[in-house]
């Protein structure tokens, strides 16, 4: 059974919504509040900042990649990137 | 009670100015061909002034009663975005220049400090962006303005889309007791509804970039002033996805008239067909057309249905923030 393009777009919209909530939760609720132990040395404080930046970068790249993956999955499922055939 | 009636003025005002603009623009020859119709009939453009004048006059009267700085900030934001769009309507600007100029529209929001750096998040969490927030405001307005500009491809689409997307914001403002943002949202919603009869298929008046940039900037400003950023982003998901897919396909901000490969082809029956070219940009319309050719009205209806679904998700997002509905 072939799923219609519109139904797939509804699924993509829902998945995008969930991904948006997930990335915001990861970045703002889990990663940014990470704090070093009390009275950290200068080096430890810098290490925590770098760690947070790396984690945020990984999360954002994964988030953007998920949209590419959704787009490409749709395109390949619906043959949008193939040369037209006589039946299309 | 009297102030409650002021935003309602935007509906007849927008409709009547649209009617006048339709006649006046045709008289002075300011028309563009409707590329998706047989014979490419001329359509008057720009109709953006109808929406902007309707919103500005109704919120201007509201300001006399309330003296709220939120109204000044919102009004200036629309006016600047509208001016940039009008320049683009009269003399086409390149994509990056247009986006760069729309940043100025965000400045009143920052200077008048009509924002809160704390964003409500589902499940009673709050996102705090104290120092970064003003910079995000400067980025957010061009993003929303550009997203609305990119979705303005078919008759009745951008005005219908904007009206539907504004409903979740209005619900948010009403249930959180934010009177001024609720009035601004109502005036904006009604101005779009008043414009719709002349914009719907077959269109007599196109909003032009002056209309779409003002709509997008107004929408972004409403979300910022009313602390409903997340609800706004969710309500705009189809437009955001469309922008993301286009930008990632063509590798940057490219005017749709300057795209090398067309995502959509108009066939002999004036139906829209998705391009099967590997290099053609991936747009929301192209994805909708993946099952086969459709008429312009059918495509518009599907995008508006998708927007209704996103608006429901936006209301759900707002409900999850813990506010009792």
């Amino acid at each position: 059974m072939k799923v219609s393009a519109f139904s797939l777009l509804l699924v993509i919209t829902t998945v995008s919504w969930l991904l948006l909530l997930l990335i915001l939760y990861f970045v703002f609720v889990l990663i940014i509040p990470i704090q070093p132990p009390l009275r950290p040395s200068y080096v430890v404080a810098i290490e925590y900042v770098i760690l947070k930046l790396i984690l945020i970068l990984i999360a954002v790249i994964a988030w953007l990649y998920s949209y590419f993956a959704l787009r490409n999955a749709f395109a390949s499922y619906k043959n949008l990137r193939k040369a037209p055939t006589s039946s299309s | 009670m009297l102030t409650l009636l002021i935003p309602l003025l935007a509906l007849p005002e927008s409709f009547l100015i649209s009617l006048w603009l339709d006649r006046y623009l045709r008289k002075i020859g300011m028309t563009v061909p409707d590329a998706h119709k047989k014979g490419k009939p001329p359509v008057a453009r720009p109709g953006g002034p109808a929406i902007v004048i309707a919103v500005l006059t109704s919120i201007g009267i509201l300001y006399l009663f309330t003296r709220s700085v939120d109204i000044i900030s919102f009004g200036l934001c629309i006016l600047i975005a509208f001016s940039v769009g009008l320049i683009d309507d009269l003399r086409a600007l390149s994509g990056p220049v247009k986006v760069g100029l729309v940043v100025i529209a965000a400045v009143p929001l920052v200077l008048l400090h009509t924002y809160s750096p704390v964003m409500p998040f589902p499940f009673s969490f709050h996102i705090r962006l104290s120092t970064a927030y003003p910079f995000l405001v400067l980025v957010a307005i061009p993003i929303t303005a550009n997203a609305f500009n990119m979705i303005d491809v078919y008759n009745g689409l951008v005005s219908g889309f904007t009206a539907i997307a504004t409903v979740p914001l209005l619900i948010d403002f009403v249930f959180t007791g934010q009177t001024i943002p609720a009035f601004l949202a109502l005036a904006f919603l009604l101005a779009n509804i008043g414009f719709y009869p002349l914009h719907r298929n077959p269109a007599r008046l196109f909003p032009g970039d002056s209309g779409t940039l003002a709509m997008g900037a107004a929408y972004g400003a409403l979300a910022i002033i009313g602390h409903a950023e997340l609800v706004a982003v969710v309500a705009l998901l189809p437009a955001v996805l469309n922008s993301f897919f286009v930008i990632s396909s063509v590798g940057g901000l490219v005017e749709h008239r300057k795209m090398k490969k067309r995502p959509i082809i108009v066939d002999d029956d004036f139906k829209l067909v998705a391009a099967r070219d590997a290099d053609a940009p991936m747009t929301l319309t192209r994805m909708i057309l993946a099952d086969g050719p459709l008429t312009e009205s059918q495509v518009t209806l599907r995008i508006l249905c998708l927007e209704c679904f996103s608006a429901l998700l936006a209301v759900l997002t707002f409900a999850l923030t813990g506010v009792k509905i």
Side-chain angles (χ1 to χ4, degrees):
Chain A
M1 190 185 74
K2 197 89 170 168
V3 183
S4 74
F6 183 73
S7 306
L8 276 179
L9 281 169
L10 289 178
V11 173
I12 288 178
T13 308
T14 311
V15 173
S16 305
W17 174 62
L18 291 171
L19 285 170
L20 177 71
L21 295 186
L22 201 65
I23 181 70
L24 289 173
Y25 181 80
F26 263 113
V27 171
F28 292 102
V29 181
L30 296 182
I31 300 174
I32 289 180
I34 294 174
Q35 291 294 330
L38 279 175
R39 292 180 189 173
S41 67
Y42 183 71
V43 176
V44 172
I46 294 286
E47 280 174 355
Y48 265 79
V49 171
I50 293 170
L51 172 76
K52 282 204 269 188
L53 285 176
I54 291 171
L55 288 174
I56 290 171
L57 196 68
I58 292 170
V60 171
I61 289 171
W63 179 55
L64 290 176
Y65 181 78
S66 65
Y67 285 112
F68 281 114
L70 278 174
R71 183 196 70 182
N72 293 341
F74 182 96
S76 61
Y77 182 72
K78 287 289 174 186
N79 296 326
L80 271 181
R81 289 190 162 162
K82 286 185 179 167
T85 59
S86 54
S87 60
S88 64
Chain B
M1 188 61 198
L2 186 67
T3 45
L4 193 66
L5 298 174
I6 296 168
L8 303 182
L9 285 174
L11 177 67
E13 214 180 329
S14 169
F15 179 68
L16 292 173
I17 298 170
S18 301
L19 279 178
W20 177 79
L21 268 177
D22 173 35
R23 284 184 202 158
Y24 179 72
L25 292 171
R26 281 174 197 279
K27 202 171 147 187
I28 61 169
M30 285 189 75
T31 57
V32 287
D34 189 343
H36 302 126
K37 302 274 189 317
K38 192 178 180 182
K40 297 187 178 179
V43 178
R45 194 189 75 158
I51 296 169
V52 173
I53 294 169
V55 172
L56 290 182
T57 48
S58 67
I59 68 168
I61 299 169
L62 194 65
Y63 177 75
L64 297 176
F65 286 88
T66 60
R67 303 279 167 188
S68 166
V69 74
D70 287 350
I71 297 174
I72 298 284
S73 158
F74 179 72
L76 284 174
C77 180
I78 297 184
L79 201 59
I80 294 169
F82 167 74
S83 307
V84 174
L86 201 58
I87 295 169
D88 190 44
D89 283 332
L90 300 173
R91 187 182 166 181
L93 299 169
S94 71
V97 171
K98 195 161 57 178
V99 172
L101 287 173
V102 177
V103 173
I104 303 168
V107 173
L109 299 166
V110 177
L111 290 183
L112 296 171
H113 208 279
T114 46
Y115 62 85
S116 159
V118 181
M119 285 197 282
F121 190 75
F123 310 112
S124 302
F125 289 109
H126 281 86
I127 295 173
R128 289 173 202 284
L129 293 158
S130 40
T131 45
Y133 197 85
F135 298 101
L136 289 179
V137 171
L138 294 176
V139 176
I141 298 297
I143 288 178
T144 52
N146 200 52
F148 278 69
N149 187 236
M150 284 174 118
I151 207 104
D152 178 31
V153 277
Y154 301 116
N155 292 186
L157 182 56
V158 74
S159 51
F161 186 95
T162 310
I164 296 167
T166 310
V167 174
L169 291 187
L170 188 58
I171 291 173
D172 182 315
F173 302 153
V174 168
F175 282 95
T176 51
Q178 300 183 81
T179 320
I180 297 295
F183 279 156
L184 298 177
L186 186 60
F188 181 56
L189 169 67
L190 294 175
N192 277 288
I193 294 174
F195 181 74
Y196 184 76
L198 277 94
H199 187 219
R200 73 190 173 98
N201 201 10
R204 286 163 58 187
L205 185 62
F206 285 155
D209 283 358
S210 59
T212 56
L213 292 182
M215 285 177 195
Y219 193 85
L222 272 178
I224 289 163
I225 293 169
H227 325 304
E229 297 88 343
L230 188 58
V231 172
V233 172
V234 175
L236 289 188
L237 269 177
V240 172
L241 286 174
N242 181 56
S243 302
F244 177 79
F245 291 151
V246 173
I247 290 168
S248 62
S249 309
V250 299
L253 291 166
V254 179
E255 279 284 288
H256 53 79
R257 49 187 169 241
K258 287 182 182 168
M259 282 176 185
K260 285 176 188 164
K261 302 238 171 156
R262 305 302 302 169
I264 305 298
I265 300 155
V266 183
D267 72 7
D268 297 337
D269 301 326
F270 286 88
K271 281 192 169 181
L272 307 175
V273 185
R276 301 275 161 182
D277 193 321
D279 299 328
M282 187 65 75
T283 64
L284 191 61
T285 311
R286 192 174 167 215
M287 293 166 99
I288 284 172
L289 291 168
D291 288 338
L294 292 171
T295 62
E296 185 182 1
S297 298
Q298 289 170 325
V299 172
T300 305
L301 185 66
R302 277 166 174 75
I303 297 177
L304 292 181
C305 286
L306 203 59
E307 177 48 29
C308 284
F309 180 71
S310 278
L312 284 175
L313 289 178
V315 174
L316 180 61
T317 308
F318 168 65
L320 288 172
T321 56
V323 177
K324 286 176 185 167
I325 294 181

